[in-house]
Amino acid sequence: MISKQFISRLGRQSQKFSTRWQSTSPFAAYEMAPLDPIIGLNEEFQRDDFPQKVIVGVGAYRDDAGKPYVLPCVREAEQRLVDQKLDMEYSGIAGDQKFVDLSLKFGYGEDSGALKEGRIQGVQALSGTGGLRVFGEMIRRHGHKHIYVPNPTWGNHIPIFQNSGLEVRKYRYYDASNSSLDFDGMIKDIQDIPAGSCVLLHACAHNPTGMDPTLEQWKQLSELFKKKQLFPFFDAAYQGFASGDAILDAASLRMFVDDGHLLGTIQSFSKNFGLYGHRVGTLSVVGSNAEEAARVVSQMKMVIRPMYSNPPRHGARIVSTILDDPKLKSDFYEQCKGMADRMNTMRTKLRDELEAVGSTRNWDHIVKQIGMFAYSGLNKEQVMEMRSKHHLYCTADGRISMAGVTTGNVSYIANAMHDVSK
Amino acid sequence: MTIVPHYETLVISLLFCVTQAATFSAATASVWSKVETGPPDAILGIAQAFRECQDGRKVNVCVGAYRDTQGKPWVLPTVRAAERKLLENDDPKDYLPIEGDAGFIAEAVKFAYGQNVDLSTVAAVQTLSGTGACRIGGEFLAQFRENKNIYIPTPTWGNHWKIFKECGLETHPYRYYDRSTNRLDLNGFIEDLEAAPEGSIILLHACAHNPTGCDPTLDQWKRIADALERKGHVAFFDSAYQGFASGDAERDASAFRYIADRKTIPVLLAQSFAKNFGLYGERCGTLSMICSDEEERQRLLSQLRCVIRPMYSSPPRHGSSIVKTVLSDSQLAPQYYEECATMANRIQAMRELLVKTLAEVGSTHDWSHVSEQIGMFAFTGMSEEMCDQLTKDYAIYLTRDGRISIAGLNDSNIRYVAEAIHAVTDGKSITGN
C-alpha cells in the first residue's frame, strides 16, 4: 500500500519525483462509473436482507422453484465430452467450424437454399454481445457511420455500437400509451433511413417489450427494406425460447433470406440452451455468393484476433454435441419448449392474479407479449416503490423477467404491482 | 393510418419479390461487394500450412502450445480431475459477473502476486486469456491516461501491436534484442525508456520473452526499474508463462513482483492460463492493476466493467472454474505445480538436447544463446531465407523470425530438426540477421 507518509518521504528526497507522482495514487482522480442497470440490479438485490425478496431482473431462466436450470441434454452432452477426453487446443479465430455449421442450420433451417449454396458463413462469437461488437466494429471499418435500433431496445445495444465507433439512431417501435407495437411509426421512421444503412431487428421476442411484428407485418418490413435498400442485421437471442417452436421463432429471419436480402445475424445460445456463462454464439452473414461470404468472414477474423484471439471451446462443443445427435437434439427441442411453456403459463397466471387482487388496469399486454420479458408499463417511480416497499426488483423501465416468476411468487408479485399502480 | 398496400398490390409485389429474389443482388450492389479478403494471421497461417502439408517428415515447431514426448497435446491430469468435479457438483451455467468469477480471481491474483498478497490492493478482472487482458488493459489506459504512448519491445508477439493499436494507444517500439549478439540490448532498452515521454506505458514480458526467450537478469531488472521510476512510466506486464518457463511459479513471477514491491511504479498485469494450465482454447486469464486501497479498487473495477460489458458482457466460465477448482484444492494444487514443472522440465531437456545435437551433427555455430534462453521458444538467429528453406526443403514449420517452439521437439524428430538447421545455416551467419 502506498501511504501518504511514504510519499512525502519520497518528496523530501527528490522534489522532481514527488511532483510527478502527485503525492497520491495515479488513479486518484478516477471516478466511480455508474452501475450497469441490468446487472447492477442483481448486486442491489443481493444486498437486500428481506426474506421474501424477489428479483425479476436479469434474463436468466429459473424453474418453478426459482432455481437455475441446466438442461438435461446439456448435462448429458457434457458427460460425453468429459468421457471423450478431448484436448483444449486453440480452436482458431473463427472458432469451432462444426459448431458454426450446425448453428447456421439451426438458425437458417436445414433446407435453406442460401445455406446450401454456401452463401451463409459465419464465426463463433462470444454470445450475443460479442457477436454484436464484432459486427459493429467490422461495419464501421467498412464505411458505416450509423446503425439503427428500435426504440426501446436492449440497453447494452447502445454502448456496444457506440464503442464500435458507430452513432446509434433509433426508429420508433413501441407505443407505450397502449402497450403495443407502433407499426405505423416504425414504417415511417424506416422509410426515412438512408439507403445502405444497417438496421438492427430483433428476430423474435423483442427485448424489452416482448412485442413482435406479425408475419404480415414482417412481410411489409421485408418489402420496405428492399425498396429502401436497407441492410438488415438480426439479433436472434431467443430462438426456441420465445414461442417454444424453434422454427416459428426463426420465421422473420428466414423470410428475409428467402426474399433475397443480404444481411447479418447474431445468434445467441445463452437462453435457449441455458449456456449463459459459457458465452456461445454465432455471427453470420448472408452474401451474394460463397466467395463474398468468405471475404466477410475473413474481415470478422481481423476484428476478433486483437480482441480475444479465438473463442472459448466448451460451450460450443456442448451445442455441437447436442445438435449433431438426433436423440439429444430432440431432447433439446423438448426441454427448450418446456422453459418457454412455463414462462407463457406464468404470463397468464400473472395477468389473472392482477385481476384477482382487484387491479382495474388492462394487463392484457403481459399475455400478448412473447419471450422472457413482460414490459409491464410501470414507470420508474413505481418500480422504485416496488423495490423499497415490496423488495421486488425489476429494471427501472418496468421490464419483468417472466423467467423469475413462479407459482410460489406470482401472487406476491401481482400484489406489489397492483399496490404501486392502483 | 397504415401503409399496408391493397391485397392485390400485395400479391403482385410478393410475386415481384419472388421473381426478383434471384437477381436481387445484381440489381443492387451487394452490401459486401467492396469487402476484401483480410490477410491471414502470420502465426496461425503457418499452423494451417502445416496441417495441409502432406510431407511425411513434417514437423510443427510453430504454434506455441505444449506437446508431449509423442508430439501430442497434453491435458493436465489435475485439469481433467477438475472437469469431472464440476460435472459431479452440477456446476451452474449462469452468467458470471461482468468482472468474472470472484473465487477464480482471488486464486489467480494470489498465484501471480504471492499467497499473502493484500487483495484489496489489486483490482483484477477475469479476461479471455492474455489477448483479452491486453485488450481490456489497453482500452482502459487509452481512456484514462493523458499520455497514450505505449512502448513495445522489438521483437514481440505479433498480436501485441494489433491489440494496442485497436485500443487507440500510440504504439512505439523500444530496443530489446540485439540480433548481432543474440542477447539482450540493455543499453538500447534503457536509452529508449529515457527517450520516451514521461508517464508512457511500457509493455514488459514478465518472463520467457516471446519470441526471443531472452529475459533480463534480476540486476538488469533493477536498472530497468530505475529508468521506469525516473520517467514515471507505467509498467504493463504480459505474463503468459508463469510456472511454465522455469518450472517454478514463484521464480517466474519475480520480475513483476520486484517492480510491484518497489511501490513507485504503477503496475498492470495481463495474466494467461493458456500455457501453464494447458487451457489454451478455454480462454482463461486476468487483467490486474495494483491500487492503493479497497475504495480505489472499487472505482477501478467499475471502470473496467464499462470496458468489458459492451465487448462481451461477461467472461466464459469453464476455464476459470477449472483453475479455481485446482488452485483452491489442497490436493490438486500441489499436484498442479508438479505437472506444470513436468512440462517446463521436458522443454528444458529438449532445449539442451537440441544444442547438444547441433554440435553432434557438425554445426560449428555458437548456439549458447539458445542454451541461455528461457521458455518454450528458441530464437535461433536464422534469417527469413533460412526459415523458408527449412519449410520448403525439410517441411519444418516455424515462424520466419527464426523462432522455434521447443515444445514441438521430441526424441523422434530432434535429430532431423538439428540436421536441417545445420544444413541451412552451415557456412552462413546466425547473427545480424
Side-chain angles (χ1 to χ4, degrees):
Chain A
M1 288 197 36
I2 305 166
S3 69
K4 289 207 168 72
Q5 292 91 329
F6 177 64
I7 295 301
S8 53
R9 207 165 56 233
L10 280 177
R12 283 196 292 279
Q13 280 168 12
S14 159
Q15 187 59 32
K16 187 169 180 228
F17 182 84
S18 73
T19 52
R20 184 178 314 114
W21 191 241
Q22 296 159 22
S23 76
T24 183
S25 159
F27 308 120
Y30 295 3
E31 297 190 347
M32 183 69 88
L35 278 178
D36 177 276
I38 298 170
I39 295 176
L41 185 70
N42 200 46
E43 294 179 11
E44 218 186 299
F45 174 76
Q46 296 300 333
R47 284 195 291 267
D48 187 335
D49 290 331
F50 191 71
Q52 278 81 42
K53 64 181 181 177
V54 178
I55 183 161
V56 282
V58 180
Y61 181 78
R62 294 288 177 262
D63 65 15
D64 202 46
K67 297 272 175 289
Y69 171 67
V70 176
L71 278 65
C73 62
V74 167
R75 279 290 179 229
E76 200 181 319
E78 274 196 314
Q79 186 62 61
R80 288 192 200 180
L81 289 171
V82 158
D83 293 340
Q84 280 166 41
K85 294 194 192 315
L86 299 170
D87 65 44
M88 290 170 167
E89 294 294 290
Y90 295 119
S91 69
I93 301 174
D96 198 331
Q97 193 54 53
K98 182 159 163 219
F99 159 77
V100 171
D101 292 342
L102 288 165
S103 61
L104 294 179
K105 286 199 177 107
F106 178 75
Y108 293 93
E110 307 262 348
D111 299 324
S112 163
L115 192 56
K116 289 185 177 154
E117 289 161 29
R119 293 202 289 125
I120 308 181
Q121 298 183 32
V123 299
Q124 184 182 338
L126 296 173
S127 204
T129 307
L132 289 159
R133 180 63 180 266
V134 169
F135 187 80
E137 296 263 354
M138 182 182 70
I139 64 172
R140 189 257 305 157
R141 289 178 188 199
H142 287 88
H144 285 259
K145 296 199 172 14
H146 320 107
I147 188 161
Y148 292 79
V149 304
N151 186 13
T153 192
W154 178 47
N156 204 20
H157 276 145
I158 313 226
I160 291 169
F161 293 126
Q162 285 174 340
N163 277 277
S164 303
L166 297 167
E167 187 199 301
V168 179
R169 294 178 174 176
K170 297 182 182 175
Y171 56 86
R172 274 174 288 174
Y173 188 81
Y174 191 66
D175 182 350
S177 64
N178 59 14
S179 297
S180 64
L181 185 69
D182 178 7
F183 194 61
D184 270 359
M186 185 178 181
I187 294 286
K188 285 199 172 81
D189 284 355
I190 286 177
Q191 277 179 334
D192 289 340
I193 296 177
S197 299
C198 183
V199 182
L200 181 84
L201 297 161
H202 294 222
C204 74
H206 178 271
N207 179 0
T209 69
M211 289 303 304
D212 289 343
T214 61
L215 282 175
E216 289 70 35
Q217 288 172 325
W218 275 118
K219 202 45 155 177
Q220 287 171 55
L221 286 167
S222 175
E223 281 161 33
L224 182 59
F225 269 61
K226 246 197 230 166
K227 185 165 149 223
K228 292 280 152 183
Q229 293 176 46
L230 299 177
F231 168 25
F233 179 40
F234 280 93
D235 186 342
Y238 302 105
Q239 190 189 352
F241 191 75
S243 68
D245 179 340
I247 293 177
L248 184 59
D249 288 343
S252 61
L253 167 64
R254 295 180 189 187
M255 177 195 292
F256 270 59
V257 176
D258 287 344
D259 288 350
H261 292 278
L262 303 183
L263 51 84
T265 304
I266 173 61
Q267 294 166 267
S268 163
F269 296 97
S270 288
K271 282 63 163 192
N272 49 12
F273 277 77
L275 288 173
Y276 309 95
H278 289 288
R279 320 310 292 124
V280 195
T282 302
L283 174 67
S284 59
V285 289
V286 180
S288 40
N289 55 57
E291 186 265 340
E292 178 175 276
R295 272 189 279 120
V296 178
V297 164
S298 76
Q299 293 295 334
M300 288 175 183
K301 288 160 73 169
M302 299 284 287
V303 174
I304 291 169
R305 178 60 162 156
M307 197 182 274
Y308 54 86
S309 278
N310 44 80
R313 307 213 64 165
H314 190 66
R317 279 173 158 163
I318 292 173
V319 174
S320 269
T321 302
I322 292 171
L323 291 180
D324 206 27
D325 179 298
K327 159 122 196 345
L328 284 180
K329 189 162 139 185
S330 114
D331 286 347
F332 159 73
Y333 281 112
E334 206 183 291
Q335 288 157 17
C336 184
K337 180 172 189 308
M339 293 191 283
D341 287 350
R342 193 186 86 67
M343 290 187 292
N344 284 325
T345 304
M346 285 300 111
R347 285 185 181 278
T348 307
K349 269 213 86 92
L350 180 59
R351 193 267 314 267
D352 293 349
E353 284 289 323
L354 281 159
E355 270 178 28
V357 300
S359 177
T360 51
R361 276 171 82 127
N362 184 345
W363 298 101
D364 282 343
H365 52 282
I366 290 182
V367 174
K368 274 198 303 214
Q369 288 160 3
I370 189 170
M372 192 150 60
F373 301 110
Y375 214 43
S376 60
L378 295 172
N379 64 38
K380 190 166 176 197
E381 287 70 40
Q382 291 164 329
V383 166
M384 292 307 156
E385 200 189 333
M386 281 204 307
R387 281 189 209 176
S388 52
K389 192 170 167 195
H390 297 281
H391 306 271
L392 171 61
Y393 291 77
C394 74
T395 46
D397 58 357
R399 186 193 81 162
I400 291 175
S401 171
M402 294 310 300
V405 180
T406 66
T407 48
N409 67 21
V410 64
S411 310
Y412 185 88
I413 293 169
N415 259 303
M417 286 170 70
H418 172 53
D419 184 54
V420 305
S421 64
K422 59 185 183 221
Chain B
M1 192 185 101
T2 62
I3 310 172
V4 177
H6 291 294
Y7 176 77
E8 307 91 289
T9 51
L10 183 60
V11 169
I12 290 166
S13 52
L14 278 174
L15 283 172
F16 176 82
C17 288
V18 165
T19 54
Q20 287 300 305
T23 56
F24 175 65
S25 57
T28 57
S30 161
V31 297
W32 309 117
S33 51
K34 293 202 176 60
V35 172
E36 300 187 346
T37 303
D41 179 274
I43 298 175
L44 302 176
I46 298 172
Q48 194 171 337
F50 169 81
R51 273 194 300 273
E52 290 162 9
C53 171
Q54 302 294 322
D55 192 322
R57 304 168 301 165
K58 70 178 181 176
V59 178
N60 185 354
V61 280
C62 164
V63 179
Y66 180 78
R67 293 286 177 266
D68 64 14
T69 52
Q70 314 299 317
K72 295 270 178 293
W74 187 54
V75 176
L76 278 61
T78 46
V79 168
R80 290 265 187 244
E83 272 198 314
R84 277 193 298 274
K85 263 196 176 197
L86 292 173
L87 203 49
E88 279 157 31
N89 297 339
D90 265 334
D91 200 49
K93 294 180 172 325
D94 265 7
Y95 292 119
L96 287 177
I98 300 172
E99 66 271 19
D101 181 326
F104 157 73
I105 291 169
E107 291 299 335
V109 168
K110 287 189 290 183
F111 182 79
Y113 296 97
Q115 293 297 316
N116 297 324
V117 65
D118 178 356
L119 291 173
S120 72
T121 62
V122 184
V125 294
Q126 182 179 339
T127 58
L128 277 96
S129 207
T131 305
C134 287
R135 180 65 181 259
I136 299 299
E139 294 264 346
F140 175 86
L141 291 168
Q143 240 182 64
F144 287 96
R145 300 283 302 170
E146 292 229 5
N147 178 346
K148 298 182 204 299
N149 292 295
I150 184 167
Y151 287 77
I152 298 174
T154 302
T156 194
W157 178 49
N159 206 19
H160 277 143
W161 286 90
K162 292 182 208 163
I163 296 169
F164 294 118
K165 281 198 165 83
E166 273 311 305
C167 294
L169 294 170
E170 292 290 327
T171 52
H172 311 273
Y174 66 83
R175 282 170 285 170
Y176 185 81
Y177 190 75
D178 185 348
R179 284 185 80 117
S180 68
T181 57
N182 286 328
R183 292 297 189 295
L184 185 71
D185 177 5
L186 185 66
N187 287 332
F189 188 168
I190 306 275
E191 272 174 30
D192 288 351
L193 289 181
E194 294 287 350
E198 280 179 13
S200 296
I201 305 153
I202 311 297
L203 182 75
L204 301 158
H205 293 225
C207 71
H209 179 272
N210 179 3
T212 69
C214 180
D215 290 344
T217 61
L218 195 53
D219 279 338
Q220 290 173 326
W221 274 118
K222 286 185 178 144
R223 286 188 55 194
I224 293 162
D226 291 343
L228 293 173
E229 218 175 88
R230 272 195 299 277
K231 299 290 299 195
H233 290 326
V234 172
F236 191 167
F237 279 96
D238 186 343
S239 176
Y241 303 105
Q242 189 190 349
F244 188 79
S246 70
D248 179 344
E250 303 303 298
R251 181 163 150 203
D252 290 343
S254 51
F256 66 80
R257 288 184 190 180
Y258 166 71
I259 289 196
D261 283 346
R262 280 174 73 141
K263 299 198 200 313
T264 51
I265 299 162
V267 169
L268 278 83
L269 180 74
Q271 180 184 33
S272 167
F273 290 100
K275 281 75 169 179
N276 54 12
F277 268 78
L279 286 172
Y280 309 95
E282 296 301 348
R283 320 310 292 127
C284 184
T286 68
L287 184 270
S288 57
M289 308 171 56
I290 308 281
C291 57
S292 305
D293 51 33
E294 180 62 27
E295 188 269 337
E296 181 164 273
R297 191 177 84 90
Q298 291 301 332
R299 273 187 288 117
L300 292 174
L301 283 179
S302 76
Q303 297 293 350
L304 288 167
R305 283 189 201 104
C306 290
V307 176
I308 294 169
R309 176 62 162 153
M311 199 183 280
Y312 52 86
S313 278
S314 59
R317 59 181 299 146
H318 194 63
S320 55
S321 296
I322 290 172
V323 172
K324 179 173 70 170
T325 302
V326 170
L327 289 181
S328 61
D329 184 297
S330 55
Q331 282 188 317
L332 290 178
Q335 192 185 327
Y336 158 72
Y337 282 100
E338 270 175 39
E339 289 167 4
C340 187
T342 304
M343 293 193 283
N345 292 340
R346 192 186 90 70
I347 291 173
Q348 183 55 28
M350 284 297 111
R351 180 183 289 282
E352 288 162 20
L353 188 54
L354 176 64
V355 173
K356 181 157 164 278
T357 311
L358 281 163
E360 269 174 28
V361 301
S363 178
T364 52
H365 282 299
D366 174 10
W367 295 104
S368 60
H369 53 289
V370 172
S371 302
E372 289 166 22
Q373 286 159 7
I374 294 161
M376 192 156 56
F377 302 115
F379 208 51
T380 57
M382 290 190 287
S383 66
E384 282 178 358
E385 293 73 29
M386 294 172 189
C387 296
D388 290 344
Q389 203 186 338
L390 272 184
T391 306
K392 188 158 139 318
D393 296 347
Y394 297 91
I396 294 172
Y397 288 77
L398 72 166
T399 48
R400 299 181 78 225
D401 54 1
R403 185 195 84 166
I404 288 181
S405 171
I406 296 184
L409 295 175
N410 51 56
D411 289 325
S412 343
N413 64 22
I414 196 162
R415 193 164 191 96
Y416 174 69
V417 170
E419 282 168 350
I421 292 175
H422 174 49
V424 308
T425 59
D426 196 26
K428 303 193 180 121
S429 175
I430 58 163
T431 58
N433 281 324

